[in-house]
Amino acid sequence: PYPRIGGRVVSATYLPDGLPRPGTGPDGLAEPYWQGTREGKLRIQKCKGCGSWQWGPEWICHRCHSFDLDWVEIQGKGRIYSYEKPHHPVHPALNGRGAYIVVLVELPEYGNVRMVGNLLGDAAQEVRIGAAVEAVFEPHDAADPPYTLVQWRTV
């Protein structure tokens, strides 16, 4: 049901306009992640020293404390580790949008790193812990500057 552009799964806009643009942080550390999402690529950090994967972005390896980290493109496939269903808007742009599902996705092929995102589809859908999901790229091309979010869908 989701189209593919250049091999990446894309969705119509799940979230409304008016939400704040995600940032790279004052130090720009997350810039490779956000550049990747614009290209339809999911990137996380991998330590060049010990080979550990990690997310969110850090200047230092969580395992060996090396500063020699790289951004590596990964397959956006994982499993639902946990979820919640917020019913109250966390931003004025979400007023009247009802409940939605936020999932914590575990990526077993990448050291069980976990990422947070929305689960696409009806908020009334059944969510099963352990269900397979894949990343879906949601472009916000009209934003200034444009950005792309990573959402999740069951497979």
Side-chain angles (χ1 to χ4, degrees):
Y2 295 98
R4 293 183 181 268
I5 298 174
R8 68 181 172 145
V9 177
V10 294
S11 75
T13 303
Y14 181 73
L15 294 176
D17 291 332
L19 290 168
R21 179 189 187 275
T24 61
D27 56 10
L29 177 60
E31 186 60 32
Y33 170 79
W34 291 109
Q35 286 174 348
T37 64
R38 289 299 292 162
E39 299 165 7
K41 298 175 182 174
L42 187 57
R43 295 180 182 146
I44 62 173
Q45 290 178 306
K46 185 175 185 179
C47 179
K48 292 180 184 178
C50 70
S52 291
W53 297 94
Q54 65 185 38
W55 178 258
E58 296 281 351
W59 288 109
I60 189 170
C61 174
H62 297 170
R63 183 171 176 218
C64 74
H65 304 136
S66 168
F67 287 95
D68 197 12
L69 296 165
D70 197 11
W71 286 91
V72 178
E73 181 182 349
I74 64 168
Q75 295 294 315
K77 296 184 185 297
R79 303 220 172 267
I80 296 175
Y81 183 83
S82 186
Y83 74 97
E84 69 174 309
K85 196 179 292 190
H87 291 269
H88 300 288
V90 295
H91 187 275
L94 296 173
N95 284 340
R97 298 281 298 198
Y100 56 98
I101 301 170
V102 179
V103 289
L104 180 61
V105 174
E106 188 170 65
L107 307 172
E109 294 182 29
Y110 305 100
N112 292 322
V113 165
R114 296 180 189 146
M115 302 181 89
V116 174
N118 294 308
L119 184 64
L120 298 179
D122 189 335
Q125 70 183 292
E126 178 185 349
V127 181
R128 188 176 50 82
I129 301 299
V133 291
E134 72 176 344
V136 176
F137 296 90
E138 179 183 293
H140 288 258
D141 296 333
D144 184 27
Y147 63 92
T148 299
L149 296 175
V150 175
Q151 310 288 17
W152 299 91
R153 75 172 182 109
T154 55
V155 291

